[in-house]
Amino acid sequence: VQLQASGGGLVQAGGSLRLSCAASGRTFSNYAVGWFRQAPGKEREFVSTINWSGGSTYYTDSVKGRFTISRDKPKNTVYLQMNSLKPEDTAVYFCAAKPRGSSRLPLYDYWGQGTLVTVSS
């Protein structure tokens, strides 16, 4: 499975962005997908994950109520809608996929290349 993350950019605080994670090579409809981020000088951290069916989602506390993860199986794509963005959301965002269950830990088999999100104050 090859993952392509896109949708990052520069946005003012309070603005919105939608990240996409598109899979190629094979369908990942039976895979859980997670989003992680890494800010400059910091370790990679969990943001959100969705299970294979889309019926279960999890978020880190700092993004609850602002970010929404979803998946479009026919398009083989997972989205991360980010609203009410804050400067502390600035980071490179990575998507990742794994068979079977979701995980808040970076125990994923496949990783995308990352997309940069910059939120200005």
Side-chain angles (χ1 to χ4, degrees):
V1 176
Q2 291 82 46
L3 303 178
Q4 178 75 35
S6 63
L10 174 63
V11 64
Q12 290 187 333
S16 298
L17 285 173
R18 187 178 77 161
L19 305 184
S20 298
C21 179
S24 61
R26 62 183 295 179
T27 179
F28 70 169
S29 61
N30 293 327
Y31 284 57
V33 175
W35 284 97
F36 293 79
R37 66 186 179 186
Q38 188 166 16
K42 296 187 177 181
E43 294 186 352
R44 190 170 298 189
E45 66 171 353
F46 166 76
V47 176
S48 180
T49 185
I50 188 167
N51 74 336
W52 69 272
S53 69
S56 294
T57 58
Y58 301 94
Y59 302 90
T60 192
D61 287 345
S62 62
V63 308
K64 284 180 182 177
R66 300 189 297 122
F67 290 11
T68 303
I69 191 170
S70 62
R71 67 189 308 159
D72 186 330
K73 286 195 171 185
K75 292 185 177 180
N76 228 19
T77 301
V78 170
Y79 302 100
L80 185 68
Q81 177 67 44
M82 306 187 297
N83 299 328
S84 302
L85 283 161
K86 304 176 180 180
E88 52 263 43
D89 294 318
T90 295
V92 177
Y93 284 71
F94 300 88
C95 63
K98 65 184 293 292
R100 298 179 291 278
S102 301
S103 176
R104 297 176 178 86
L105 299 176
L107 303 175
Y108 287 72
D109 298 308
Y110 306 98
W111 290 82
Q113 84 291 356
T115 184
L116 176 62
V117 172
T118 303
V119 184
S120 63
S121 58

